[in-house]
């Protein structure tokens, strides 16, 4: 096995942008997706009502979780990010079969937004639709990024 090259204080830094900049650049699209998704969720809530507003909000919840997963792990595959987002969303929904989320939701607006309060089986389908939407958008973004000659996101 060859020995690792030795470096000294006089060794020049590798060419290219600093690693910190690369990490920020890799996460920027996901962070922008988080902002856009939150804005879309607030817009749907403000402008619509009824079943569409409720289930669109549920789908966007999973899209948001997907974007957060990608922000944390930029090179995650669209399928894995969607699976993680869907598993989290379903876990939160199934937790609503216990009294814990409802109790926490009464005490905190943030807990109500994140955990909800009551179980709804139809919500599970809305979360699946959101995961599919997020995976599709993520796959398209990766394809566009690759088409422009960049490394995968």
């Amino acid at each position: 096995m060859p020995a690792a090259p030795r470096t000294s204080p006089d060794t020049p830094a590798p060419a290219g942008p600093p690693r910190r900049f690369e990490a920020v650049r890799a996460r920027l699209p996901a962070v922008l997706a988080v902002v856009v998704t939150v804005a879309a969720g607030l817009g749907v809530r403000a402008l619509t009502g009824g079943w569409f507003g409720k289930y669109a909000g549920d789908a966007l919840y999973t899209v948001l979780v997907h974007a957060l997963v990608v922000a944390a792990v930029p090179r995650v595959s669209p399928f894995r990010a969607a699976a993680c987002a869907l598993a989290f969303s379903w876990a939160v929904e199934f937790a609503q079969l216990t009294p814990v989320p409802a109790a926490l939701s009464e005490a905190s607006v943030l807990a109500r937004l994140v955990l909800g309060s009551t179980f709804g089986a139809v919500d599970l389908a809305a979360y699946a639709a959101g995961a599919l939407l997020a995976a599709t958008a993520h796959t398209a973004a990766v394809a566009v990024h690759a088409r422009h000659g960049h490394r995968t996101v």
Side-chain angles (χ1 to χ4, degrees), residues 22-79:
E22 288 178 12
V24 169
R25 191 175 70 195
R27 287 174 170 81
L28 187 59
V31 171
L32 291 174
V34 166
V35 172
V36 168
T37 303
V38 169
L42 293 172
V44 164
R45 188 171 179 97
L47 300 174
T48 66
W51 68 269
F52 179 80
K54 179 185 180 343
Y55 297 118
D58 288 347
L60 286 170
Y61 178 89
T62 303
V63 171
L64 175 63
V65 175
H66 180 103
L68 291 170
V69 167
V70 176
V73 186
R75 292 183 182 209
V76 66
S77 74
F79 175 78

